Amino acid sequence: MESNVQQQTTPKDLSTDLPGAMTQKTSLGDQPWQEWIEPVVDILAKVPEYIGQFFSEYKQPLTTLGLLLLGIISVKITIAILGAIDDIPLLSPILQLVGLSYTAWFVWRYLWKASNRQELLAEFDALKNQMFGDND
């Protein structure tokens, strides 16, 4: 009876000769499609190398292109945000009023008299020297 149980639980295609060897290994080397697969696998294995060479060779143009695309995307997002702000009913006229008020104040404060224009030029020169250094 014990041999019947052992026969029922051990499938016919399992190898019990070596421990850990459950099935016989089939060879894929004789398959006709393998001659088509090997070149594809070789090319796919070299893809990271090709990409690395491409990026190292064209680093400067790719950086320029990336910055250009980033600039375009930033302008598009800014336009979309300003369009959304413009659609808020009272916010657009209030912001226009603030802008006109600041422009009127700037003209009155710095551009109306010659002495004030000289003061503005002095502040501008001080800011320029602070940013770019003293060129005297």
Side-chain angles (χ1 to χ4, degrees):
M1 181 154 157
E2 188 173 308
S3 64
N4 285 342
V5 171
Q6 197 171 28
Q7 282 182 338
Q8 290 175 355
T9 59
T10 307
K12 303 279 189 250
D13 60 347
L14 289 181
S15 172
T16 57
D17 296 338
L18 295 172
M22 297 190 64
T23 59
Q24 294 180 353
K25 186 176 179 182
T26 58
S27 174
L28 295 176
D30 300 334
Q31 301 293 333
W33 52 268
Q34 191 166 5
E35 67 185 40
W36 296 95
I37 296 294
E38 285 181 13
V40 172
V41 169
D42 290 340
I43 290 173
L44 289 177
K46 294 179 183 177
V47 165
E49 181 182 329
Y50 294 147
I51 291 173
Q53 283 179 341
F54 178 79
F55 279 117
S56 65
E57 186 174 337
Y58 296 107
K59 186 176 186 178
Q60 183 67 31
L62 288 174
T63 303
T64 304
L65 182 65
L67 289 174
L68 184 65
L69 287 174
L70 185 64
I72 291 170
I73 290 170
S74 299
V75 167
K76 294 274 188 180
I77 289 173
T78 303
I79 289 172
I81 290 171
L82 291 176
I85 289 173
D86 194 37
D87 288 342
I88 298 173
L90 282 176
L91 192 58
S92 177
I94 290 172
L95 290 177
Q96 288 177 359
L97 183 62
V98 168
L100 287 173
S101 301
Y102 182 75
T103 303
W105 173 83
F106 185 82
V107 168
W108 178 261
R109 172 70 177 95
Y110 290 111
L111 301 178
W112 196 263
K113 297 179 186 175
S115 62
N116 293 346
R117 287 191 293 267
Q118 293 299 327
E119 182 184 343
L120 177 65
L121 287 175
E123 286 183 23
F124 179 73
D125 286 338
L127 182 65
K128 186 175 69 169
N129 287 338
Q130 183 182 4
M131 290 180 69
F132 299 116
D134 194 14
N135 293 333
D136 292 339

